[in-house]
Amino acid sequence: MVSEPGARPGLILAAVAVVQFMVSLDLSVVNVGLPEIAAGLGFGAVGLTWVIHAYALTFGGLLLLGGKAADRYGRRRVLLFGLGLFGLASLVGGFAQEPGHLVAARAVQGIGAAALAPAALALLTTTFPSGKARVRAFGIWSATNAAGGALGVLIGGLLTEYAGWRWVMFVNVPMAACALALVWRGVTAGPPPARSSRPDVLGAVLATAGMTLLVFGVVRTDQYPWTSPVTVTTLAVAAALLAAFVHVERTTTREPLIRLGLFANRSVVGANAYNLLAGAALAAAFYFISLYLQRVLGTGPALTGLMFLPLALGVVAGSVLAIKLGYRLAPRTLLVIGGLLTGTGFAWFGLISPDGTFATDVLGPSIVASVGFGLCLGPLVSVATTGVARHESGTASGLLNSSRQIGASLGLAVLGTVAHHRTGPTVTPETLNDGYALGLTLSAALLVAAVLVALTVLRRTSPASGAEQSDDRDPLPARD
């Protein structure tokens, strides 16, 4: 294992685990409290969506920039900045008195998350570059990542019902403070990163604007249909900006935001394609399951959160199992097995009925899907950074986070639209059930597509060797 002199791997792993739990928790903890937030601050129906959109836009739009900043200015520095900003924004948001205050705080939270998420993942990648220690580290990371997302629904429901909606913001403050202390003590500053040339400011602006507009266009399809002039124009401009970004990266004489040679690495391409598809499926499936429990079965928010507990525990169990299997099976094999298990669970969910129960329609598929998902998470991150030079680990981590965020936004928008059309104009438990069942079945199909990507794009490797090339050497040419 190679790490910075004086670094404390145990504290680094603990810090990264807390960071990932906090970021994952924040993606779901607010959702359950939206009705109470609307009542408490006087949000309108349209304005309330910006509590979610403001975070998604800044987080998704700035991830690539955050990853590059971690490589250029140091992972410790960017991580401390992101944690401080995230914690402060959470505190301010909890004291919000007007809708605009909370939306602004959520946007700043997204900026902080876009800095700290890729920096934390890059730090984990470089601290545990190979062998059994890497398998164990990414297993712990994946467990906390998934547990945060699944427990967010439970914690959000309990906090909203028994402590008030403001605590869905305040809950981040002690976690951010704990992570700050761990990073401060456990992570060394390290040598100054090499800066061969001036940063590519134009590329950064184009990528950030393009990613932000892409997420913006997708998340607003709940208000503007896919074929509306607003959506078509927004997505067209986003595509033009991203195309201009690629052109700039190919021709710039400055230090590019993303070196395009990185995409010659099949592990990077395959892992991000898998992540995009899996992220789309998982975000949509969690959304449909929550709505099925509340709108079809008539479950309250706190009990709905409690019913998500098997999902959380299953992911943790799958992540622990991935550690043990990771010593014997290659990451590619675990991605295939985990993807097939998760897809099977979602297909089982597709059999839900309007007169179903938690025990017969939710518990079984929750266990199957969550264990499969847990098997995927750690190996996916390990594969995504295989063969990536140490000085590009932040960029690779930002790219992986971006593909997941874009996948989640696309999955919710596209599958949500399909489910809405299947439900039709007459809203009853039966028609809602039909829409959710179709969305869950399509989520299973996305997992099958992800497995096909793993089989056709990713190379065969031996167990526990998924990232043994992650050192200071750059196995790819400096330029295309």
Side-chain angles (χ1 to χ4, degrees):
M1 184 178 70
V2 180
S3 58
E4 300 294 351
R8 303 169 70 177
L11 286 180
I12 291 173
L13 180 57
V16 171
V18 173
V19 165
Q20 195 57 46
F21 182 87
M22 180 179 69
V23 172
S24 298
L25 181 82
D26 198 66
L27 289 170
S28 57
V29 72
V30 174
N31 294 24
V32 182
L34 287 177
E36 285 72 16
I37 291 172
L41 294 182
F43 272 99
V46 175
L48 186 63
T49 62
W50 282 100
V51 176
I52 303 300
H53 294 347
Y55 181 86
L57 285 175
T58 52
F59 183 39
L62 294 171
L63 273 167
L64 293 178
L65 192 59
K68 183 63 176 181
D71 287 336
R72 183 172 179 83
Y73 301 108
R75 288 173 277 277
R76 182 178 187 270
R77 182 183 299 177
V78 173
L79 190 51
L80 289 173
F81 167 78
L83 282 167
L85 194 62
F86 192 92
L88 181 61
S90 300
L91 184 64
V92 171
F95 286 113
Q97 300 300 312
E98 296 179 8
H101 296 166
L102 183 58
V103 170
R106 289 285 288 165
V108 177
Q109 268 189 322
I111 297 171
L116 64 90
L121 189 51
L123 185 63
L124 192 68
T125 297
T126 54
T127 304
F128 302 95
S130 63
K132 292 185 176 182
R134 182 180 177 90
V135 173
R136 178 174 174 272
F138 279 111
I140 293 172
W141 176 90
S142 63
T144 55
N145 175 28
L151 287 175
V153 182
L154 171 61
I155 293 171
L158 293 175
L159 288 176
T160 300
E161 191 158 326
Y162 299 113
W165 70 263
R166 295 183 184 277
W167 280 94
V168 301
M169 299 294 291
F170 288 146
V171 70
N172 293 313
V173 178
M175 288 189 289
C178 176
L180 266 170
L182 289 170
V183 172
W184 190 268
R185 289 193 60 190
V187 182
T188 58
R195 302 177 189 175
S196 56
S197 62
R198 290 178 295 174
D200 176 21
V201 176
L202 177 58
V205 170
L206 289 171
T208 301
M211 291 280 289
T212 302
L213 270 181
L214 176 62
V215 176
F216 178 70
V218 169
V219 299
R220 293 229 302 171
T221 52
D222 60 341
Q223 300 171 44
Y224 300 98
W226 287 93
T227 55
S228 70
V230 173
T231 298
V232 171
T233 301
T234 303
L235 295 180
V237 174
L241 288 170
L242 292 173
F245 163 69
V246 172
H247 174 72
V248 168
E249 297 305 279
R250 290 180 63 88
T251 58
T252 185
T253 58
R254 299 190 173 198
E255 183 181 344
L257 185 67
I258 298 180
R259 185 176 58 81
L260 297 183
L262 194 63
F263 293 101
N265 185 325
R266 287 175 59 178
S267 293
V268 171
V269 173
N272 278 278
Y274 188 106
N275 199 34
L276 183 81
L277 292 165
L282 290 159
F286 276 33
Y287 173 74
F288 293 134
I289 295 164
S290 176
L291 290 178
Y292 171 71
L293 289 169
Q294 295 182 75
R295 300 185 68 184
V296 177
L297 300 187
T299 308
L303 186 56
T304 295
L306 190 62
M307 288 177 174
F308 266 79
L309 193 57
L311 273 168
L313 296 178
V315 173
V316 173
S319 300
V320 172
L321 184 60
I323 297 175
K324 297 183 180 300
L325 293 177
Y327 303 144
R328 302 178 180 87
L329 300 176
R332 176 177 177 264
T333 304
L334 287 176
L335 288 176
V336 171
I337 295 172
L340 289 175
L341 271 178
T342 308
T344 300
F346 288 165
W348 189 355
F349 269 125
L351 303 177
I352 54 174
S353 62
D355 57 350
T357 65
F358 170 75
T360 58
D361 290 63
V362 178
L363 181 59
S366 290
I367 294 172
V368 173
S370 59
V371 170
F373 182 39
L375 285 175
C376 296
L377 273 174
L380 180 62
V381 180
S382 181
V383 169
T385 51
T386 295
V388 175
R390 186 183 185 89
H391 67 272
E392 289 187 312
S393 59
T395 301
S397 301
L399 187 62
L400 187 69
N401 278 285
S402 294
S403 64
R404 180 183 177 186
Q405 178 66 23
I406 293 171
S409 298
L410 284 171
L412 280 171
V414 176
L415 297 190
T417 300
V418 172
H420 177 72
H421 283 307
R422 170 61 66 91
T423 297
T426 305
V427 178
T428 65
E430 289 75 19
T431 58
L432 286 171
N433 184 86
D434 289 345
Y436 302 152
L438 176 60
L440 288 161
T441 302
L442 292 176
S443 295
L446 289 175
L447 261 301
V448 172
V451 169
L452 291 176
V453 167
L455 289 171
T456 56
V457 179
L458 298 179
R459 292 190 176 96
R460 297 176 182 271
T461 57
S462 59
S465 67
E468 293 184 6
Q469 300 175 30
S470 182
D471 54 22
D472 286 328
R473 294 171 296 170
D474 187 347
L476 303 175
R479 292 262 176 215
D480 285 348

